[in-house]
Amino acid sequence: MSTDQPVDCRPLPGTSSGELDEMWRRQLVWWHVFFAVLLATTAGVLVAAEADHLGWSLLGVGVIAAAYLVWGRRGIGEQQPPAGILYVTVSWVALIALMAVDGSGTAWILTFGLFPQTWAMLRRNQAAAVVVVAVLAIGGVRLWQGPRTGDDLVGIAISTAITLSLSLVMGLFIHKIIGEADSRAFTIDELRRTQAQLAAAERAQGVAGERERISREIHDTLAQGFTSVVTLARATEAALDRGDLDVVRERVRLIEQTAADNLSEARLIVAEMTPGHLQSRTLSEALGRLVDAVAAESGMTGNLVVQGEPTVLPANSEVVLLRTAQEGLANVRRHARARTFEVRLTYAADAPVSLEVADDGVGFAPDTPDRGYGLDGATARADEVGGRFEVQSTPGAGTRLRMEVPR
């Protein structure tokens, strides 16, 4: 059985609608068996009761059986609506005729099959109309079959009304239940499709987020490391031109150390591990090594200040603080033309942990649209851990970066 809505195509296998449709198809064999038993029982009772006009009665049963074999089995469940309409029309006409020639009332047995079949083969409004016409026709046949007293007429009217009411109420009720089942199956399929679409969108978003994360990692580590290597190589070349071998050896050592750090960072990025500077070190120790390296490479005076009692932070938060320091010092080295810089790590009671990178360089206008990928990346990192990032700078008056992360 199905709802009033026409079905344009068979539900796909593996969907809830498809599973429901397959369940109905599995039940069809029992519909066939049940109706075959009704037909056989009706014919047997007619023969045993030696009904009037037995030949015509058996012919009526045979017509209904033949109609079911030709059209009914194809029309049930609205598989082929035209076949269902043909079967319902022929079978009800044959049953009414059978009841008219059979005075024993045995043909009533077949109504237990025809009423459900009508609801199963036709749409709701069509089935309701056929049931009304069929019940009224049966009542008319009972009146036609012989003279009736007033009480007989009242009894026929009451039984006809009861039959009509029960047929309509039960048919509409069952039709409503099956319609709800179809609707629920459709809703479940829609939810599954929506879930699949959301999962695909989340995967795409995850891929995009991972690409952005790796881009920031490369920018904050490898790109800056390579910049240091280039700077040191140029300084080494200048020292060679001057014949200052001690400086050359020191620069080569720094190049080797920077390249080794970059190699370690590259391996850790691939393995999605903690940044290399934090391996087996506290955050303050990693910052101290970073400050010393930048001061040695650039010739600037650098200083690390740690205020408050250091506490262990979530790994992501420590990574954010370290990357902010790397980005800030990279900008100091490349753009600030500063003489000194300071990195300040503050652990205040009942307050976010903050990191500041300040320099006495040329500064810049922080509101400029093209302020750089690194600063935008720092803002994104702060959002990831529920922190806050800000830039304070004025042309000619130095720059101060500040990152706050929750404990």
Side-chain angles (χ1 to χ4, degrees):
M1 297 177 71
S2 63
T3 63
D4 277 343
Q5 297 298 325
V7 180
D8 296 331
C9 60
R10 189 180 297 274
L12 295 175
T15 64
S16 293
S17 298
E19 292 170 0
L20 183 62
D21 193 61
E22 180 60 28
M23 185 273 291
W24 284 120
R25 282 197 292 272
R26 289 196 300 267
Q27 300 301 317
L28 288 181
V29 63
W30 299 110
W31 285 71
H32 303 329
V33 170
F34 172 70
F35 195 55
V37 171
L38 284 182
L39 290 169
T41 301
T42 302
V45 172
L46 287 172
V47 172
E50 297 180 354
D52 297 337
H53 309 289
L54 180 59
W56 287 106
S57 297
L58 292 177
L59 177 61
V61 174
V63 168
I64 296 175
Y68 189 81
L69 289 173
V70 176
W71 299 304
R73 62 186 180 83
R74 293 189 288 118
I76 196 166
E78 293 188 39
Q79 296 180 90
Q80 297 182 21
I85 293 173
L86 282 172
Y87 168 73
V88 168
T89 303
V90 171
S91 60
W92 273 114
V93 170
L95 179 61
I96 299 300
L98 175 58
M99 296 179 71
V101 299
D102 172 31
S104 66
T106 303
W108 267 95
I109 298 175
L110 291 178
T111 60
F112 289 100
L114 288 182
F115 278 128
Q117 288 172 353
T118 300
W119 290 103
M121 295 185 188
L122 304 181
R123 296 181 185 174
R124 183 185 60 196
N125 294 339
Q126 294 174 338
V130 169
V131 167
V132 171
V133 171
V135 172
L136 293 179
I138 292 172
V141 167
R142 294 177 63 191
L143 290 173
W144 173 79
Q145 284 177 333
R148 305 287 183 178
T149 64
D151 291 340
D152 291 334
L153 294 177
V154 172
I156 291 173
I158 292 175
S159 63
T160 299
I162 293 174
T163 301
L164 180 60
S165 298
L166 289 177
S167 300
L168 288 176
V169 170
M170 291 302 295
L172 291 172
F173 177 70
I174 295 173
H175 210 279
K176 179 66 174 177
I177 290 177
I178 295 174
E180 287 292 331
D182 287 342
S183 177
R184 287 176 184 270
F186 176 78
T187 301
I188 291 172
D189 290 337
E190 286 296 304
L191 287 174
R192 286 176 176 173
R193 280 192 289 270
T194 301
Q195 288 174 341
Q197 292 171 354
L198 287 175
E202 288 177 357
R203 284 195 296 271
Q205 184 177 7
V207 170
E210 185 64 10
R211 288 175 177 171
E212 183 178 355
R213 183 191 71 81
I214 293 175
S215 297
R216 289 200 303 265
E217 294 287 337
I218 292 174
H219 176 273
D220 293 343
T221 57
L222 303 184
Q224 294 177 13
F226 289 137
T227 301
S228 297
V229 169
V230 171
T231 302
L232 289 170
R234 290 172 179 170
T236 302
E237 184 178 2
L240 279 174
D241 292 340
R242 296 193 307 269
D244 192 345
L245 296 182
D246 291 337
V247 173
V248 169
R249 292 190 184 96
E250 177 63 19
R251 298 306 184 195
V252 169
R253 187 191 65 78
L254 289 175
I255 289 174
E256 180 182 2
Q257 182 62 49
T258 303
D261 289 344
N262 260 25
L263 179 59
S264 176
E265 289 286 354
R267 288 171 176 168
L268 294 174
I269 289 173
V270 172
E272 298 183 351
M273 296 173 62
T274 305
H277 286 288
L278 290 177
Q279 291 292 307
S280 304
R281 298 185 182 90
T282 64
L283 176 61
S284 57
E285 290 173 343
L287 290 174
R289 180 181 177 185
L290 178 63
V291 168
D292 291 342
V294 172
E297 294 170 9
S298 64
M300 292 183 289
T301 301
N303 188 33
L304 171 65
V305 178
V306 179
Q307 294 180 322
E309 183 65 26
T311 59
V312 178
L313 299 175
N316 288 346
S317 297
E318 291 195 343
V319 170
V320 167
L321 293 174
L322 178 60
R323 295 304 190 217
T324 301
Q326 289 174 324
E327 173 62 26
L329 294 181
N331 288 335
V332 170
R333 185 174 54 212
R334 286 180 293 184
H335 307 302
R337 298 199 294 275
R339 294 186 302 275
T340 63
F341 66 86
E342 179 182 89
V343 176
R344 183 178 296 270
L345 180 62
T346 304
Y347 296 91
D350 300 324
V353 176
S354 66
L355 175 85
E356 293 184 357
V357 179
D359 66 73
D360 60 354
V362 296
F364 68 102
D367 295 332
T368 181
D370 56 347
R371 63 178 189 169
Y373 178 84
L375 297 181
D376 292 336
T379 302
R381 286 184 184 277
D383 293 338
E384 289 177 0
V385 297
R388 185 168 65 92
F389 176 71
E390 62 181 12
V391 181
Q392 298 175 356
S393 183
T394 303
T399 301
R400 182 181 298 273
L401 309 182
R402 180 179 178 85
M403 173 69 77
E404 291 182 354
V405 298
R407 289 179 179 271

